[in-house]
Amino acid sequence: MFKKIQEYFGSRKEKRVERAGKLVKNAKAIREDRWAAIEYLAEGVKESDLAIPNLLPRFEYSLEHGINDTREKELALQGIARFGEESVPYIKSWLQQTTRIAWPIKVLKELGKEDDLIACLKGALNYGEVAFDQAAVDKNYDILCYLREYSLGDELRKLTHFLNDQDERVRFAAAELLINQKSEGVKPDLEPFLKDDSSENRRIRQAVAQAFLDLGWKVSRPEEFPGGQVMPGLVIDGQGRLQAHS
């Protein structure tokens, strides 16, 4: 009898969670109903495997009324963040499939675990051929911009993949990310841009030249630059380093 009672109430709860999840996903649902659903999942459901997967979809759309949109997303954020480290695998998996990454990243920042945030962002990068998928290109660009704020340790060489991306914004974001690490380990991947005078890589060339100048990196093959001139105003000195020259 006791087992049957447990099964009955368990079934009722699962159905209520399912109904709430459908409301959370529905941007056209009645506002009060959707709010009640988010509130139930964010505060009333104690199991992470029931609450988190049903709250994450709220980050997939925006309402015309900005204040209501933010309130709902903030409630969903708190409802996920209350599970702490337990929520990280769900967010990591979600980031890999969604193109709307801003709010899931806010959840990770709320948790205050920088290593988890970096790992989730790295895991969400798409190394495949995405040139014809603008949403995927934009997502890679956004992730590289977020990663630029952090120290990434010993896995930098893998990120040099994006220096060859077809999208100039992605290439530039990758170059800035690598430059900001201030690691000579990526110098061989950046140095070719010193000789690249193509219009599509102009910004990257300037950023790389400034990095060589500021960080005192030596040019590995100065003989490739006639007269030691890298670009107007920048020359290679006798030690192989860039110097500003009027």
Side-chain angles (χ1 to χ4, degrees):
M1 177 69 73
F2 182 69
K3 185 177 180 181
K4 287 184 178 179
I5 293 172
Q6 280 186 317
E7 289 174 352
Y8 169 74
F9 282 107
S11 176
R12 285 186 63 189
K13 182 173 185 177
E14 287 177 6
K15 289 178 180 177
R16 186 179 178 187
V17 168
E18 184 179 352
R19 287 196 300 271
K22 288 180 179 178
L23 282 168
V24 171
K25 293 177 184 177
N26 188 359
K28 296 181 179 179
I30 296 171
R31 187 181 69 191
E32 289 77 12
D33 290 347
R34 188 173 55 245
W35 176 265
I38 298 170
E39 194 170 43
Y40 168 64
L41 292 166
E43 298 175 358
V45 177
K46 305 304 180 185
E47 299 87 355
S48 61
D49 62 329
L50 294 178
I52 296 174
N54 284 296
L55 286 169
L56 283 166
R58 182 55 192 88
F59 302 141
E60 286 295 287
Y61 60 87
S62 297
L63 303 175
E64 288 185 11
H65 196 295
I67 294 176
N68 288 334
D69 184 65
T70 300
R71 286 183 66 230
E72 289 184 11
K73 286 175 177 172
E74 286 179 344
L75 180 58
L77 182 154
Q78 294 302 326
I80 297 169
R82 69 188 163 113
F83 291 102
E85 194 77 14
E86 197 177 344
S87 67
V88 173
Y90 296 97
I91 301 170
K92 183 176 183 179
S93 176
W94 190 261
L95 281 171
Q96 289 170 354
Q97 66 185 18
T98 185
T99 58
R100 293 175 173 260
I101 65 174
W103 278 89
I105 290 172
K106 285 184 180 182
V107 181
L108 291 169
K109 287 185 175 181
E110 181 80 7
L111 295 175
K113 298 282 188 176
E114 188 173 295
D115 288 346
D116 286 338
L117 173 57
I118 292 171
C120 287
L121 287 172
K122 285 181 177 179
L125 284 166
N126 190 333
Y127 287 83
E129 179 52 62
V130 298
F132 299 106
D133 185 345
Q134 192 58 48
V137 172
D138 292 343
K139 179 180 176 180
N140 277 344
Y141 170 72
D142 289 340
I143 291 173
L144 291 169
C145 288
Y146 277 112
L147 284 173
R148 190 169 54 196
E149 303 175 22
Y150 302 99
S151 176
L152 304 181
D154 299 328
E155 297 182 24
L156 291 178
R157 294 302 299 274
K158 187 176 181 182
L159 296 172
T160 62
H161 165 88
F162 296 100
L163 291 173
N164 300 308
D165 197 273
Q166 291 191 38
D167 189 284
E168 188 271 345
R169 298 172 310 136
V170 173
R171 295 197 304 275
F172 184 70
E176 281 206 317
L177 183 160
L178 295 169
I179 289 168
N180 284 357
Q181 301 302 305
K182 300 179 180 178
S183 169
E184 286 210 43
V186 298
K187 192 180 78 168
D189 301 284
L190 294 171
E191 188 169 340
F193 287 104
L194 292 176
K195 288 182 63 66
D196 187 344
D197 58 0
S198 62
S199 59
E200 59 265 27
N201 283 328
R202 185 177 294 116
R203 285 201 305 162
I204 302 175
R205 185 188 188 198
Q206 291 173 344
V208 169
Q210 191 64 48
F212 270 73
L213 181 64
D214 294 342
L215 299 173
W217 287 347
K218 288 186 177 182
V219 177
S220 61
R221 298 179 65 86
E223 66 274 9
E224 293 183 354
F225 297 87
Q229 182 156 321
V230 176
M231 62 176 63
L234 277 181
V235 297
I236 303 173
D237 67 14
Q239 286 73 46
R241 295 185 174 89
L242 296 194
Q243 294 289 335
H245 180 71
S246 57

